[in-house]
Amino acid sequence: MKILSAVLLTLLTACAANVPANKPVAAPAPAAAAAKPAGRSDYMTAQEKEIRALATSPAFTVKRRKNILIVTLTGNAVFAQNSYRVEEPAAEFLKKLAAVVADYDKTRIGIFGYTKTTGKASTNQQLSDRRADAVSAVLENAAKIADVRIWAEGKGAADANRAEIVLTPTFR
């Protein structure tokens, strides 16, 4: 402890010696204001507000469960029948969504693809995987989103052709 005190005293003395006596010491610059709210709830509320403003079509819905946002893209506006290609209305929405989630760098993005319950389970699983990957590709190509923040997974058959984007805050 005495050694640490001596080192600190030496450093402070050396710093003080480098300040000219006739010049005032400049006040430190004010810290830049944080672009996004600090608390999880406020952070997700701000993000939710921006995303809801984008979801103007009934094919795009936003739900909130505590501090998790679930953006669902459903119907023919998202995928053509038995296709994994993202249709134009959904692609435009995803590009705008990508810009928002890119700004919220404490958010992880899980993308889940689904198919209707018709057909073989193996075919549905493969199609749902491709749908999740296609949505992920649109997001990643539209904005710089770190790979560690985003993942895609096919969930197989469900009640409808859809993709879900689950946004989860990660404060460390």
Side-chain angles (χ1 to χ4, degrees):
M1 188 64 150
K2 289 182 182 181
I3 294 172
L4 181 60
S5 297
V7 170
L8 285 174
L9 183 60
T10 304
L11 287 172
L12 288 173
T13 305
C15 289
N18 290 331
V19 177
N22 59 352
K23 289 190 178 179
V25 177
K36 304 297 173 212
R40 283 180 200 229
S41 182
D42 292 340
Y43 175 89
M44 293 308 286
T45 298
Q47 189 171 193
E48 177 184 13
K49 184 178 178 181
E50 289 187 43
I51 294 170
R52 283 191 186 279
L54 301 175
T56 57
S57 166
F60 316 129
T61 60
V62 181
K63 292 182 184 174
R64 183 167 179 170
R65 293 189 187 140
K66 296 188 180 183
N67 286 326
I68 296 173
L69 298 176
I70 303 166
V71 180
T72 305
L73 293 78
T74 308
N76 292 338
V78 183
F79 304 109
Q81 185 69 23
N82 296 323
S83 171
Y84 60 88
R85 187 175 61 84
V86 178
E87 295 293 318
E88 193 55 38
E92 287 305 311
F93 171 76
L94 289 170
K95 290 173 187 174
K96 292 174 186 173
L97 178 66
V100 173
V101 296
D103 284 344
Y104 288 84
D105 61 349
K106 290 181 174 64
T107 300
R108 290 203 52 203
I109 306 147
I111 301 165
F112 303 98
Y114 296 89
T115 65
K116 287 186 178 178
T117 56
T118 58
K120 293 179 10 181
S122 61
T123 304
N124 286 338
Q125 182 61 48
Q126 185 178 36
L127 181 57
S128 69
D129 286 336
R130 287 183 173 175
R131 286 179 171 175
D133 289 340
V135 169
S136 177
V138 172
L139 287 173
E140 289 180 69
N141 289 333
K144 294 200 183 274
I145 299 171
D147 290 344
V148 297
R149 292 183 54 208
I150 191 167
W151 78 96
E153 181 180 338
K155 292 293 195 173
D159 57 343
N161 291 325
R162 71 177 192 271
E164 287 183 351
I165 302 166
V166 180
L167 306 171
T168 308
T170 57
F171 284 72
R172 292 186 178 142

